[in-house]
Amino acid sequence: MKTKVRNIGKVAVLDLSGKITIGEGDVLLREEVNKLLESDRKSILLNLDKVTYMDSAGIGELVACFKRASEAGAKLKLLNPSGRVSDLLSLTKLQQVFEIFAHEKEALVSF
C-alpha cells in the first residue's frame, strides 16, 4: 500500500492506494493516522478511491483508526471507497458507523 497526505485547509486528506491487508497495509495505515493525530490534526479524510482490496485486518484497522480519532477528539471520514471495499463496508454494516462521501469537495465541507 502507498500513502500520500494532502493538507486542504484544516483537513488532512490521506490518499491510500493498493491493498490494505494483514501485514501489508494495516500497519502503514495505523502509522499514518497516528502521525496525523500526534500532529494534532482533528479532521482526517481517508481517500479509498485507489484501494483495490481490503481484508478483515484492514477493516479492523479502519475501525481502530476511527476509535483512536474519536478518543483524540478528531473526526475521521471516508472518501470514495472502490467497488469491493464499498461492498465490504456495506456487508459489515460499517457504512452506518463511518461518514462516507463520493466527492471530495462534499467531504471537505462536512468537517
Side-chain angles (χ1 to χ4, degrees):
M1 183 179 83
K2 294 182 181 177
T3 65
K4 179 182 172 189
V5 177
R6 295 180 286 131
N7 293 304
I8 302 175
K10 66 178 184 177
V11 181
V13 180
L14 183 56
D15 294 318
L16 306 171
S17 62
K19 297 177 181 178
I20 303 176
T21 58
I22 188 164
E24 187 168 336
D26 61 333
V27 175
L28 184 56
L29 174 60
R30 179 182 320 131
E31 290 172 353
E32 291 296 325
V33 170
N34 283 347
K35 282 185 207 172
L36 293 171
L37 293 173
E38 289 168 4
S39 63
D40 208 30
R41 299 305 303 245
K42 298 293 184 193
S43 303
I44 301 170
L45 182 61
L46 298 183
N47 183 359
L48 302 173
D49 184 38
K50 294 182 179 172
V51 173
T52 56
Y53 180 78
M54 184 181 299
D55 67 3
S56 60
I59 286 289
E61 192 52 46
L62 267 185
V63 172
C65 288
F66 180 82
K67 183 179 176 202
R68 284 193 304 277
S70 295
E71 290 171 351
K75 291 184 178 177
L76 186 141
K77 300 179 181 184
L78 305 181
L79 175 63
N80 206 10
S82 58
R84 286 183 172 183
V85 175
S86 180
D87 291 346
L88 189 56
L89 290 170
S90 178
L91 187 66
T92 56
K93 300 192 184 297
L94 287 173
Q95 289 181 325
Q96 298 169 7
V97 174
F98 290 100
E99 285 187 65
I100 301 173
F101 297 88
H103 303 287
E104 185 173 298
K105 195 173 187 176
E106 179 185 339
L108 292 172
V109 298
S110 73
F111 283 98

